[in-house]
Amino acid sequence: MELPAGVNRRYASIAIFLLATVWVWVAFNRPYTFPSHIPWNIYSNAPQTDRASDIFDYPPLNSPTIKKLYASTQWNASVVFACQEPTGGIAEVRNSLLGCVRLAMAAGGSMIVPRIVVNEDYEDTIAGNSTDLGYMFDTEHFVASLGMSCPQMHIYKTIFEIEDGKNANGPISLQPDSLLKTEAIEERFAEDWRTAFYKWLSPYLVADSKGPVIIRLGDSYLKYPIATDGEAFQQHFSKILKIRADIRRFATMVLHHISVLYDEPLDLKELMLKNILLGVYLSTETDVEALPKADHSNTNYEAQSKLFLGHAMRANLSLIYVASAHGSDIPRFILEANTAEIEATSKLDLLKGKDREDLLDLTLDQQATVDFLVLTKVSEFVGMGYDGFAWSVALRRHEYLKKRAGMDWLRGEQVAQDPFSTLIGGMGEHGEFAASMWP
């Protein structure tokens, strides 16, 4: 066969051979089912994350316990609660909102869908502007959950939707813990708070007033004694808040990549992963003077890294997922873990390419919410007993344990401990978290 000028005969023969090989493969071994994802990155030999998967999703709450509790309550739709916009991380924001909603339910009032303050650093001063609930949570889920579990409660999406709002009275500010003293707390706390609330409100009401009265409820973080509501209510109430979808998917992808990179067969549908992964949360940015003396020696990075790596060795867990309130601690911890022949990783190590870029587009508090979800799934969790984030993770994990095995906290030398979580600190300290933080 005559070839065009300039074409090397040997190269042409190789090309013809390769084309013939491909033709034979297609003809006799055709891949009739093509993959849904064609990978072009460093994970090309591994299954790609299904972006639609979301192991942290769940339907709106439809709780018979809440329905039954409020079936006989006298509701007053003209009393409308507006929560003070919480600020901070997921633990503070989530529990502030739950506390506010719970008190509004106790009063039998209506409420406006809460808003959240976005933390921003202005020359070492933390401040910010308020935004809607969707900053951290699924707003439709929140509204639907209250509509099903507490149908008597009227929910307004904004203050402008309040019925007869042009004749509204207020807003009148109320600090929730000003009505009942701590020593007065008993099993009937919700009923007693309602009685005290309407007694406090009566002087503000004008006899010929026709419009609703708006109550601006102040800081509700750790202001409600959750044990007074009973076990079933405690287990379900927090499900009215669901983390927003993109954050849930990031957390799912993180766990998927752990399974792929470390060749660990993880069942992501399990409540917690078994005997594989230790989760740790470093809490080194804190006001030491505000803590009990028993905690002072453990607030620095050196102390915490030593405690956490020691726990990994004792638990015989050679893989650690690390998160921190102070981001620069994470690479430092990973290097120390590797020196001790322990693998350690974080969300920013595990997410690559567009996923990593999208994660970094979120605020630091939103990014930390990814850690919150991942840490609820690890085999064991260790954190500091003075830290609200660590408590929030441990309490949520503890609910899984009670549901599965009926187990309670172990008696030991730490602030709180069960077979799957340890909060380090002096015994008997920080009881406010166990008493008033929703799991």
Side-chain angles (χ1 to χ4, degrees):
M1 182 176 70
E2 194 72 30
L3 295 172
V7 176
N8 186 294
R9 181 176 297 277
R10 191 178 71 172
Y11 290 159
S13 300
I14 292 172
I16 292 169
F17 173 77
L18 289 174
L19 286 171
T21 302
V22 171
W23 183 86
V24 171
W25 177 74
V26 170
F28 296 101
N29 192 25
R30 181 175 299 168
Y32 289 98
T33 302
F34 289 91
S36 58
H37 294 85
I38 301 177
W40 300 103
N41 59 25
I42 62 169
Y43 300 112
S44 57
N45 293 322
Q48 301 299 290
T49 302
D50 180 359
R51 287 182 171 273
S53 66
D54 181 357
I55 63 171
F56 297 99
D57 192 19
Y58 51 87
L61 178 66
N62 188 359
S63 169
T65 300
I66 298 176
K67 281 182 182 176
K68 182 178 179 181
L69 183 63
Y70 283 102
S72 58
T73 296
Q74 183 177 353
W75 290 82
N76 187 351
S78 66
V79 175
V80 183
F81 285 87
C83 304
Q84 175 178 305
E85 298 94 336
T87 184
I90 179 64
E92 293 84 359
V93 169
R94 180 173 174 268
N95 280 276
S96 294
L97 295 177
L98 290 170
C100 180
V101 174
R102 183 63 188 90
L103 290 169
M105 292 170 69
S110 304
M111 81 174 304
I112 303 165
V113 172
R115 294 175 64 81
I116 299 170
V117 171
V118 180
N119 272 338
E120 296 178 81
D121 192 345
Y122 296 101
E123 297 181 355
D124 298 326
T125 301
I126 301 297
N129 298 313
S130 74
T131 188
D132 59 57
L133 186 67
Y135 172 67
M136 279 189 179
F137 302 100
D138 184 327
T139 303
E140 290 184 6
H141 176 94
F142 174 78
V143 174
S145 294
L146 287 177
M148 289 191 287
S149 295
C150 193
Q152 304 93 331
M153 180 180 244
H154 197 118
I155 306 296
Y156 298 104
K157 290 190 176 180
T158 70
I159 195 169
F160 302 107
E161 293 184 4
I162 296 176
E163 188 175 343
D164 198 19
K166 63 186 178 188
N167 294 317
N169 301 281
I172 305 169
S173 295
L174 169 64
Q175 189 56 33
D177 54 349
S178 66
L179 297 183
L180 288 181
K181 302 300 180 185
T182 305
E183 56 269 21
I185 292 175
E186 296 178 359
E187 290 184 5
R188 290 175 50 86
F189 177 82
E191 294 88 341
D192 292 344
W193 194 88
R194 175 192 174 99
T195 300
F197 168 74
Y198 282 105
K199 183 179 179 180
W200 166 85
L201 182 61
S202 59
Y204 292 96
L205 300 179
V206 181
D208 59 351
S209 175
K210 297 180 181 179
V213 57
I214 300 174
I215 307 299
R216 180 173 171 77
L217 201 60
D219 177 22
S220 301
Y221 182 56
L222 304 181
K223 298 295 193 296
Y224 190 93
I226 62 171
T228 61
D229 280 333
E231 193 72 31
F233 195 105
Q234 288 179 56
Q235 286 181 356
H236 297 291
F237 177 62
S238 64
K239 293 176 185 175
I240 64 172
L241 289 177
K242 180 169 70 173
I243 305 299
R244 57 187 255 182
D246 58 341
I247 294 175
R248 300 195 311 263
R249 285 195 294 271
F250 281 131
T252 300
M253 285 190 280
V254 165
L255 289 167
H256 171 83
H257 286 318
I258 288 173
S259 176
V260 171
L261 285 178
Y262 296 97
D263 195 26
E264 295 286 2
L266 308 182
D267 184 354
L268 299 184
K269 293 181 181 179
E270 282 288 320
L271 289 177
M272 284 183 284
L273 308 176
K274 296 177 181 177
N275 305 320
I276 294 170
L277 181 63
L278 174 66
V280 304
Y281 187 73
L282 293 156
S283 311
T284 57
E285 276 195 340
T286 189
D287 181 3
V288 176
E289 297 305 318
L291 297 175
K293 287 186 178 180
D295 290 321
H296 287 194
S297 61
N298 289 332
T299 57
N300 60 81
Y301 169 82
E302 290 76 14
Q304 289 181 31
S305 63
K306 183 178 179 180
L307 287 166
F308 294 165
L309 290 174
H311 187 99
M313 294 174 186
R314 289 191 299 275
N316 197 28
L317 293 170
S318 58
L319 178 57
I320 298 177
Y321 180 86
V322 57
S324 175
H326 191 194
S328 61
D329 286 341
I330 293 176
R332 188 178 174 187
F333 182 87
I334 290 173
L335 285 173
E336 288 193 21
N338 291 342
T339 301
E341 298 184 349
I342 298 173
E343 290 279 356
T345 190
S346 70
K347 60 182 180 293
L348 289 177
D349 289 329
L350 292 161
L351 297 179
K352 306 291 182 181
K354 183 67 163 56
D355 293 331
R356 193 174 192 271
E357 291 174 12
D358 290 344
L359 176 68
L360 291 172
D361 283 341
L362 301 179
T363 68
L364 292 178
D365 288 328
Q366 290 172 322
Q367 292 178 41
T369 307
V370 175
D371 291 323
F372 171 75
L373 290 176
V374 172
L375 290 170
T376 63
K377 284 280 191 177
V378 298
S379 309
E380 289 191 36
F381 170 70
V382 187
M384 302 309 298
Y386 57 74
D387 186 86
F389 183 102
W391 266 99
S392 194
V393 171
L395 286 168
R396 190 154 176 170
R397 292 167 59 80
H398 189 67
E399 283 303 309
Y400 298 156
L401 187 63
K402 285 199 293 187
K403 195 180 299 183
R404 278 280 177 94
M407 295 186 66
D408 209 339
W409 296 108
L410 300 175
R411 295 185 180 277
E413 299 178 354
Q414 305 298 348
V415 174
Q417 190 172 24
D418 66 24
F420 300 138
S421 303
T422 300
L423 297 178
I424 297 170
M427 287 180 61
E429 301 289 353
H430 311 294
E432 69 275 13
F433 293 113
S436 300
M437 182 170 274
W438 296 97

